[in-house]
Amino acid sequence: MYHKDFFDLDSLKEGFDVELKTALGRDKKGAVPESFWETYSAMANTSGGIIILGAQEKDESVVYHNLPKYGQMIQDIWNNLNNPKKVSVNILQNRNIKPKTYEGKNIIVVTVPQASRKQRPVYIGTNPLEGTYQRQNEGDYRCQPELVKQMLGEQANDTRDAVILENFTIDDIDKESYRIYRQQFSNLKPNHPFNECDEKEFLRQIGGWKRNRQNGKEGLTLAGLLMFGKFRSILDAVPNYIVDYQERENTDTRWVDRITLDGSWSGCLYDFYRTVMKKLSADLKVPFKLNGDERIEDTPVHEALREALVNTIIHADYSGNCSLLVVKRPDLFGFRNPGLMRIPKPEAIRGGISDCRNRNLQKMFQFIGLGEQAGSGFPKIYQNWQMQHWREPMLEERHGSNQTVFILKMTSLLPEEVLGALKSEFGESFRDLVNVERLAMVTAYSEGCVNHSRLKELSREHPHDITISLHNLVKQGLLASEGSGRNTFYYIPGRHPMGDEIFGGEICPKYSSEHLDNSSEHLDNSSEHLDNSSEHLDNSSEHLDNSSEHLATLRDIAEPVKSVKKASKALMESTIMELCSGRHLTIEELSSLLNRNKDTLRTHYIIPLLHKGKLEQKYKNVTTHPNQKYRAVDEKERE
């Protein structure tokens, strides 16, 4: 994004990559606020962004303030950037901090790039566990210690799968899976010298067996076990290992065909790839083409699916807490892997850079003609999908849950049936629309909703023009909107999206704010149990239906927390989980039952429990839904 985009006031309201700070200081002449460093850390650890000092959002517009001391402020920023006691690393260059004059007022624009894997975590002070922040919507939030440790692990390890596993032997390999792989290798490369190797030496050559030259120890590598291991052996080494394929007939979450770790097959990645790839391509229509006398069974769609599946496998963090999940539906293919991307999303889509989390697994697939190391996977997928005139793939990092999601929809950018439906419903009003407005309508119809970020991915229009187009569509009654400012999403009137999200996340709006409160960045942990009188809590449970099934029971469950001014975190979480067990409750209902401030509950309990997968939202695809409710997820569901 270029500087010119940030001075279109309307577009400033869209996206989570712009932070406005008044920065006037006590003398009203300008001072760098302490919260600047939280935002610097958060943006660097997420996707980068812009910090504008001397601006604030007020009544749905942007107000600018003059900063006479802007020169001194810029010097203060540089001094602190290079002070290791203030921040862990300086990732800015001269071009990233610029004074600007706007509406006759001096302001400062700071462009924060996304930090590299080697630079993360970017933290304030000297303790990464306490000073690391991440960007969620327009707020900066302190990272959980587990996430900081994951960043530190990624920083130190160029590849995660090269470690030698102690007390694992060649007997932990599933011999049939290994035999089939060797046969596939031999068929592809009949004259390769590896074909002459014995069982262990071949495994060593492809990265599945390793000898430590310093201490002489040798053994099976993590890559070798994941690729060819037996079901129980893999789980002994990687307790969180879960691979899952689900075939669904519609937008419902129920599956009609599933492959997961049930003990009926090896469970290794090679067998998972072979089985899932057959199922993904089973119903694809293959055009009749000949290469000499042989029919060509491959298509660009086959190639894209292979790349997507291999990418998901080789980039997964198998120590993560969520499963590697592949979903097939009549209208799309979805891929989710634990672990965030190691390079920025724009660079991955552009291609040319490779930083694989599991390089030995990557090599193993390359040896049998699958995947490349040149960073060309995503460009190839995007190109092949574009060749079908299908919608742009959706690539999303979910920082809170440490996941990467990739969705390939088999719907046209402007499908005739959707155009026909919109023309029929809206008549001349739809026909008179300009291209970007028509694209917004079609996207809202096809994907359930659309926001500014999604439309920027699909259109080459300037962000300001996109914003104006969306506002015009709402004025004409062609789209309805929900949320405000940066959290706004749009949908066809009467077609409110309620949960068409295959991975239980928040594809639309991309960065939802229902659980995020800007003021939380300044909350002291000691304030998590605010005075019962705060926010004028009503003990009468006005938000609960008195005729509901177990109102008396709910009050009894909540009593240990409600009756005390301060409760332990463990008691608060267990009580919330018990209240939400088998039922959906709103934040207002929980607040009333527990006699606690809504923002306190949301910031310190609801968000962490959602991130841990212990709570789920009723409206997963519309997290800003005014009637959002929460239900406890039991252990079996989390598996």
Side-chain angles (χ1 to χ4, degrees):
M1 195 173 287
Y2 301 98
H3 282 315
K4 64 181 181 180
D5 296 339
F6 296 110
F7 295 99
D8 296 314
L9 299 190
D10 288 325
S11 64
L12 275 177
K13 299 178 184 178
E14 303 287 352
F16 83 142
D17 51 357
V18 177
E19 175 74 10
L20 310 180
K21 295 185 182 295
T22 307
L24 286 173
R26 292 183 178 179
D27 62 2
K28 305 301 180 182
K29 294 182 179 180
V32 180
E34 191 60 31
S35 64
F36 171 88
W37 300 106
E38 296 174 4
T39 304
Y40 169 76
S41 166
M43 287 183 168
N45 290 322
T46 315
S47 302
I50 299 290
I51 305 172
I52 302 180
L53 301 178
Q56 71 179 116
E57 195 167 342
K58 188 175 182 180
D59 298 330
E60 298 299 311
S61 63
V62 177
V63 177
Y64 288 91
H65 303 281
N66 188 40
L67 304 176
K69 292 184 177 180
Y70 69 89
Q72 180 181 328
M73 292 173 64
I74 292 175
Q75 188 59 51
D76 288 344
I77 294 173
W78 285 119
N79 290 342
N80 281 307
L81 282 170
N82 293 289
N83 178 3
K85 293 183 179 180
K86 184 63 178 180
V87 291
S88 59
V89 62
N90 173 19
I91 63 171
L92 303 187
Q93 300 180 32
N94 287 335
R95 66 174 181 270
N96 295 126
I97 304 179
K98 295 290 184 183
K100 297 281 184 179
T101 301
Y102 190 76
E103 295 181 349
K105 297 171 182 176
N106 295 312
I107 62 175
I108 301 171
V109 178
V110 181
T111 306
V112 182
Q114 179 177 342
S116 69
R117 172 174 63 87
K118 293 288 188 179
Q119 293 168 324
R120 292 194 300 265
V122 176
Y123 55 91
I124 304 171
T126 57
N127 187 345
L129 296 180
E130 295 181 357
T132 301
Y133 289 79
Q134 215 169 44
R135 193 80 173 158
Q136 296 182 32
N137 195 53
E138 69 266 38
D140 308 317
Y141 295 88
R142 185 178 284 111
C143 291
Q144 296 291 328
E146 295 78 11
L147 185 56
V148 179
K149 291 174 183 177
Q150 288 173 352
M151 291 185 192
L152 292 169
E154 292 284 358
Q155 180 189 83
N157 296 306
D158 285 332
T159 182
R160 304 295 294 271
D161 62 354
V163 61
I164 297 175
L165 301 173
E166 293 186 9
N167 303 318
F168 284 79
T169 70
I170 199 76
D171 292 333
D172 290 297
I173 294 295
D174 184 85
K175 289 183 169 51
E176 181 62 11
S177 302
Y178 186 46
R179 182 194 68 78
I180 295 172
Y181 178 91
R182 288 203 65 169
Q183 186 62 55
Q184 187 173 354
F185 179 93
S186 177
N187 292 343
L188 185 67
K189 303 174 180 180
N191 299 318
H192 200 287
F194 287 2
N195 291 321
E196 304 301 320
C197 297
D198 62 22
E199 193 174 68
K200 185 181 292 186
E201 180 60 19
F202 181 86
L203 193 60
R204 187 181 75 82
Q205 292 290 351
I206 65 173
W209 189 273
K210 184 179 178 182
R211 181 176 182 272
N212 188 316
R213 295 182 181 274
Q214 292 182 334
N215 57 28
K217 290 183 179 180
E218 63 177 86
L220 196 63
T221 65
L222 178 59
L225 183 67
L226 290 172
M227 191 71 164
F228 307 114
K230 296 176 181 176
F231 168 72
R232 188 64 257 173
S233 299
I234 296 175
L235 291 180
D236 287 343
V238 190
N240 291 335
Y241 175 82
I242 305 176
V243 290
D244 194 0
Y245 166 82
Q246 297 179 18
E247 190 167 330
R248 306 174 188 172
E249 288 185 338
N250 49 46
T251 60
D252 201 336
T253 57
R254 288 188 294 271
W255 48 267
V256 295
D257 186 17
R258 189 180 188 188
I259 300 169
T260 190
L261 300 182
D262 58 4
S264 64
W265 58 292
S266 70
C268 68
L269 292 176
Y270 180 58
D271 283 354
F272 181 74
Y273 169 81
R274 290 191 306 120
T275 307
V276 169
M277 192 60 220
K278 288 179 182 177
K279 290 185 175 291
L280 289 177
S281 58
D283 304 321
L284 293 180
K285 296 179 180 180
V286 180
F288 187 82
K289 292 184 180 180
L290 293 176
N291 182 10
D293 294 331
E294 295 184 2
R295 179 175 178 175
I296 301 174
E297 297 289 341
D298 214 10
T299 70
V301 178
H302 286 88
E303 184 180 45
L305 292 176
R306 277 198 305 271
E307 288 285 348
L309 180 56
V310 170
N311 272 348
T312 302
I313 291 173
I314 66 177
H315 290 290
D317 179 0
Y318 292 98
S319 65
N321 292 322
C322 78
S323 63
L324 185 156
L325 176 61
V326 180
V327 173
K328 177 182 179 181
R329 277 189 355 203
D331 61 328
L332 60 76
F333 300 96
F335 303 85
R336 182 192 72 189
N337 64 263
L340 302 175
M341 299 174 65
R342 283 191 153 196
I343 60 176
K345 173 181 167 181
E347 291 186 13
I349 296 174
R350 186 166 55 247
I353 301 175
S354 177
D355 186 6
C356 185
R357 183 173 278 111
N358 301 291
R359 294 183 182 176
N360 285 299
L361 285 177
Q362 183 184 40
K363 278 291 185 185
M364 290 174 182
F365 280 106
Q366 288 171 359
F367 278 133
I368 53 175
L370 301 170
E372 298 179 13
Q373 198 171 345
S376 61
F378 278 118
K380 188 178 296 183
I381 296 170
Y382 275 73
Q383 178 183 356
N384 288 5
W385 226 246
Q386 188 179 38
M387 289 170 60
Q388 311 306 309
H389 304 290
W390 287 338
R391 301 189 74 77
E392 183 99 347
M394 302 172 73
L395 177 61
E396 180 189 0
E397 289 185 277
R398 296 181 176 173
H399 292 268
S401 53
N402 198 42
Q403 302 172 9
T404 301
V405 170
F406 190 46
I407 298 176
L408 298 169
K409 290 201 171 188
M410 294 180 292
T411 53
S412 170
L413 195 61
L414 295 171
E416 287 299 325
E417 63 274 16
V418 175
L419 290 173
L422 291 171
K423 290 175 183 176
S424 175
E425 183 171 350
F426 297 103
E428 292 300 323
S429 297
F430 178 76
R431 293 185 179 89
D432 294 339
L433 297 178
V434 297
N435 288 339
V436 66
E437 293 173 338
R438 185 170 298 195
L439 182 58
M441 293 281 291
V442 170
T443 303
Y445 189 97
S446 301
E447 299 183 3
C449 60
V450 65
N451 62 7
H452 192 276
S453 298
R454 180 58 174 156
L455 205 52
K456 278 201 299 184
E457 292 179 348
L458 300 172
S459 169
R460 297 183 181 276
E461 297 292 327
H462 191 279
H464 176 69
D465 295 332
I466 291 175
T467 301
I468 296 302
S469 295
L470 289 170
H471 290 176
N472 286 340
L473 289 170
V474 172
K475 287 180 181 179
Q476 296 178 57
L478 299 177
L479 285 180
S481 65
E482 191 163 308
S484 63
R486 303 171 186 175
N487 315 315
T488 307
F489 66 94
Y490 306 83
Y491 58 94
I492 302 296
R495 294 171 57 93
H496 197 293
M498 286 297 177
D500 181 19
E501 174 26 35
I502 61 175
F503 294 118
E506 55 274 350
I507 284 292
C508 188
K510 181 171 286 187
Y511 301 103
S512 95
S513 64
E514 199 274 330
H515 302 292
L516 304 173
D517 177 40
N518 280 339
S519 63
S520 67
E521 63 180 299
H522 304 294
L523 287 176
D524 186 340
N525 287 337
S526 64
S527 69
E528 61 184 71
H529 303 292
L530 300 174
D531 189 344
N532 290 347
S533 64
S534 65
E535 205 190 13
H536 310 292
L537 293 174
D538 184 358
N539 294 337
S540 64
S541 300
E542 62 176 320
H543 299 290
L544 291 168
D545 182 358
N546 288 329
S547 63
S548 63
E549 45 177 333
H550 301 301
L551 181 54
T553 302
L554 291 177
R555 285 172 171 162
D556 289 342
I557 294 171
E559 183 60 27
V561 170
K562 183 177 181 180
S563 61
V564 297
K565 195 169 184 179
K566 187 171 184 179
S568 69
K569 184 174 182 180
L571 177 60
M572 286 290 294
E573 289 189 347
S574 63
T575 304
I576 291 171
M577 290 290 290
E578 189 174 357
L579 287 170
C580 295
S581 178
R583 63 183 69 84
H584 287 93
L585 295 178
T586 66
I587 191 73
E588 289 81 7
E589 290 168 344
L590 288 169
S591 172
S592 184
L593 283 165
L594 297 169
N595 201 26
R596 290 297 188 273
N597 178 282
K598 287 191 298 182
D599 292 334
T600 299
L601 288 174
R602 178 181 291 116
T603 302
H604 294 287
Y605 301 105
I606 300 299
I607 294 175
L609 288 171
L610 285 168
H611 287 171
K612 294 175 184 176
K614 292 185 178 182
L615 285 182
E616 70 170 9
Q617 300 163 313
K618 182 174 182 179
Y619 306 116
K620 298 182 179 68
N621 195 42
V622 189
T623 52
T624 57
H625 197 285
N627 297 319
Q628 187 64 268
K629 297 183 179 183
Y630 308 93
R631 182 181 73 88
V633 181
D634 60 34
E635 291 291 340
K636 291 183 179 179
E637 289 181 279
R638 291 204 292 273
E639 293 175 0

